[in-house]
Amino acid sequence: MKVFKSSSLFLVALLIMGNMYSCKEEKQEIPWVNLIQNESLEGWNIKGGNATYEVEEGVITGTTAANTPNTFLTTNKMYGDFIFEIDFKVDSTMNSGIQIRSNSLPYYQNGRVHGYQVEIDPSKRAWSGGIYDEGRRKWLNTLENNSEAQKAFKQNEWNHYRVEAIADTIKTWINGVPASYLIDDKTASGFIGLQVHSIGKNKEKLGKQVMWKNAKILTENLEKYTTKSPLEPVITKNNLTVNEKKSGWKMLWDGKSTNGWRGAKLDRFPESGWVIENGELIVLASGGAESAAGGDIVTTDDYSNFELQVDFKLTPGANSGIKYYVDTEINKGPGSSIGLEYQILDDALHPDAKLGSHEGSRTVCSLYDLIQADPNKPINAIGEWNTAHIVSIDNHVEHWINGVKVLEYERGSDDFNKLVSESKYDKWPNFGLLEKGQILLQDHGDKVSFRNIKIRVPKKNNK
């Protein structure tokens, strides 16, 4: 009996050892690439402020500095789809974060670092593992309804993050607990960055530290290593972000129906020429004629002071526009309804880019036929999404594209009136001076897609 027991124990021990070696081999098979190498910051660079970073025994330590903006230690290499893991430890009084798919571009707020941030939040709020859009839309995926993730953070100890960023989906885990599940396609690639948050003039936070180690990444065969998340995804497409809701934005299109819209020359939505597919409102190609197929569509409500955002995607050679202060009772005949227009155009292929009453005034983002947009505008390639932003408050109007202002003017000013008198709009009395009007999406006979149509109206000037 004793021999039998000894043999049994020996076999069990062999099995355990075999499993241990098997697990070890499986871990070794994962082709992680270490991002902290050679006891140096080779492969990294500092952006933003003047906080300091040093590396010792594989640990990067960031230390706060006074009177400087957020500082980021960023990878030289850009990453699109990846799985990323890292350990971090943060002072309990400090906010920090890890940038992913982030960028620093000279035309965007003078090179400000912007993009997705996996939050490090040791405060009572405990949103570590949430997703913040640094320098742009602020909070995208909070943890206020995820108590398990909030409890997973370990104060003044090492914590572990896992991030999976694949196509339009970003998932995070903190110490093995699912934290965020975001579906958003604002940015497809960028650097990874380690943030030391600004402390302003706060002397009590001077010299506080954040530490990171064991940073590693996968970029190939990701389907073999992905992890399922039990969380319900936060979807930003045709939805308001957390901060947009708080600041008064409303969806102008719900992403699935024709509610709130009609044909510019109809009492209903056009029966043809426009389709709704995959959360996109699409005007179909019909030969390039102006408002000759389905026709323009307009909001059923009028707006005075407002901010409008619209994502648009062009096809090669396409022409369209976003008009505002439109009165559909003007110009009941052929052609488009009359209003101020944010031009949407393929400048490279469409001949309209070289026309206009004023040079360059029919190029993309311009105030059509009146004012040329900044030629250095950051327009994305044909077939990619761009975000148009129009601000009109107390007759001061601004056109923005992808977060950058490209023109501004004053409705009714002497300069504005002179431009109108020299344009194709001279025949329309008081052109562009309506107190309120409709928002219009133009059918110019080319395929153009729209989504994320949202508006904010100042409380003192309701529509």
Side-chain angles (χ1 to χ4, degrees):
M1 291 295 290
K2 291 182 180 179
V3 173
F4 176 76
K5 286 183 178 179
S6 298
S7 300
S8 298
L9 290 172
F10 180 69
L11 288 172
V12 170
L14 284 176
L15 287 171
I16 292 172
M17 290 177 65
N19 287 333
M20 288 174 63
Y21 282 113
S22 176
C23 292
K24 187 177 181 181
E25 287 175 359
E26 287 180 8
K27 289 182 180 178
Q28 290 177 341
E29 287 176 1
I30 301 176
W32 291 106
V33 174
N34 293 321
L35 296 181
I36 306 173
Q37 299 181 10
N38 302 326
E39 291 300 308
S40 75
L41 296 179
E42 181 181 351
W44 299 78
N45 65 88
I46 295 177
K47 294 182 174 68
N50 298 317
T52 60
Y53 295 84
E54 59 181 13
V55 59
E56 184 176 355
E57 297 183 354
V59 177
I60 293 176
T61 300
T63 304
T64 60
N67 302 317
T68 187
N70 292 343
T71 309
F72 302 87
L73 180 68
T74 69
T75 58
N76 296 337
K77 189 173 181 180
M78 309 291 272
Y79 297 94
D81 290 356
F82 59 84
I83 297 173
F84 172 70
E85 293 191 2
I86 193 169
D87 297 331
F88 67 91
K89 183 163 66 171
V90 62
D91 186 283
S92 61
T93 65
M94 284 297 298
N95 176 278
S96 183
I98 298 170
Q99 298 295 134
I100 60 170
R101 288 183 175 174
S102 295
N103 289 275
S104 172
L105 305 167
Y107 57 77
Y108 186 84
Q109 298 184 26
N110 296 317
R112 179 180 179 181
V113 169
H114 58 280
Y116 303 112
Q117 180 185 115
V118 184
E119 181 79 1
I120 296 176
D121 179 16
S123 74
K124 291 182 179 180
R125 184 181 61 178
W127 284 2
S128 291
I131 300 175
Y132 184 85
D133 195 359
E134 175 76 16
R136 295 189 302 195
R137 298 166 293 169
K138 301 183 179 180
W139 279 104
L140 301 178
N141 195 149
T142 68
L143 266 63
E144 57 190 336
N145 296 317
N146 188 347
S147 60
E148 292 302 311
Q150 288 177 294
K151 291 185 292 186
F153 176 79
K154 296 180 290 188
Q155 201 73 257
N156 297 311
E157 297 183 32
W158 286 101
N159 292 272
H160 181 77
Y161 274 166
R162 179 181 175 90
V163 181
E164 296 183 5
I166 301 172
D168 64 355
T169 300
I170 300 174
K171 295 183 286 186
T172 71
W173 287 260
I174 177 169
N175 297 322
V177 178
S180 294
Y181 186 173
L182 175 70
I183 297 178
D184 180 88
D185 64 356
K186 188 72 171 178
T187 306
S189 68
F191 51 69
I192 290 171
L194 310 178
Q195 183 197 52
V196 174
H197 203 282
S198 170
I199 61 169
K201 298 179 180 180
N202 190 335
K203 293 181 179 180
E204 293 181 359
K205 292 188 176 182
L206 186 62
K208 297 294 184 181
Q209 295 182 328
V210 189
M211 292 180 283
W212 301 268
K213 67 179 181 179
N214 299 330
K216 55 187 181 180
I217 196 165
L218 293 172
T219 57
E220 297 180 358
N221 302 315
L222 299 179
E223 66 281 355
K224 293 172 58 177
Y225 309 106
T226 55
T227 307
K228 289 185 178 180
S229 174
L231 302 176
E232 286 295 318
V234 174
I235 302 171
T236 59
K237 183 178 179 180
N238 297 318
N239 286 304
L240 298 174
T241 67
V242 174
N243 288 83
E244 285 172 341
K245 290 177 183 177
K246 290 180 179 179
S247 58
W249 286 88
K250 304 291 183 184
M251 295 307 302
L252 200 52
W253 179 56
D254 62 17
K256 55 189 176 182
S257 75
T258 62
N259 293 341
W261 295 82
R262 66 171 176 84
K265 298 177 182 179
L266 302 169
D267 58 5
R268 64 190 185 284
F269 197 86
E271 295 181 359
S272 62
W274 291 82
V275 296
I276 297 171
E277 294 179 352
N278 301 318
E280 300 175 15
L281 182 58
I282 304 170
V283 57
L284 300 176
S286 58
E290 182 180 346
S291 195
D296 303 337
I297 59 172
V298 295
T299 56
T300 54
D301 288 328
D302 292 340
Y303 297 91
S304 181
N305 288 341
F306 65 87
E307 281 188 69
L308 175 74
Q309 287 190 5
V310 182
D311 288 354
F312 67 89
K313 182 171 64 175
L314 286 161
T315 52
N319 183 356
S320 185
I322 304 166
K323 295 189 179 184
Y324 48 104
Y325 295 111
V326 171
D327 182 351
T328 55
E329 294 302 309
I330 302 174
N331 186 28
K332 301 289 284 185
S336 185
S337 292
I338 299 303
L340 298 163
E341 180 177 352
Y342 182 113
Q343 172 75 314
I344 295 177
L345 193 79
D346 179 350
D347 288 351
L349 296 181
H350 200 286
D352 230 28
K354 298 179 181 179
L355 303 176
S357 303
H358 304 92
E359 184 179 357
S361 61
R362 295 190 183 182
T363 55
V364 66
C365 311
S366 296
L367 178 63
Y368 179 80
D369 210 50
L370 297 175
I371 303 174
Q372 179 184 16
D374 185 343
N376 295 318
K377 58 208 166 194
I379 191 79
N380 293 329
I382 300 302
E384 296 181 7
W385 289 101
N386 292 274
T387 299
H389 185 185
I390 303 168
V391 182
S392 180
I393 305 294
D394 297 334
N395 292 324
H396 178 77
V397 183
E398 298 174 356
H399 285 191
W400 295 65
I401 185 71
N402 299 326
V404 176
K405 183 167 63 176
V406 292
L407 69 80
E408 59 186 321
Y409 66 96
E410 302 290 331
R411 290 200 304 148
S413 67
D414 290 343
D415 289 342
F416 175 82
N417 293 334
K418 182 175 184 297
L419 290 171
V420 172
S421 70
E422 298 168 348
S423 75
K424 63 182 286 186
Y425 295 117
D426 184 43
K427 64 181 180 180
W428 302 104
N430 298 315
F431 171 79
L433 302 179
L434 293 177
E435 180 182 349
K436 62 181 180 179
Q438 295 155 299
I439 308 296
L440 176 149
L441 301 180
Q442 188 181 47
D443 170 13
H444 210 296
D446 299 314
K447 184 178 179 180
V448 179
S449 302
F450 302 93
R451 68 175 189 184
N452 290 334
I453 307 171
K454 58 192 73 170
I455 198 163
R456 177 165 63 176
V457 178
K459 291 182 179 180
K460 65 176 182 179
N461 290 300
N462 292 325
K463 66 177 186 293

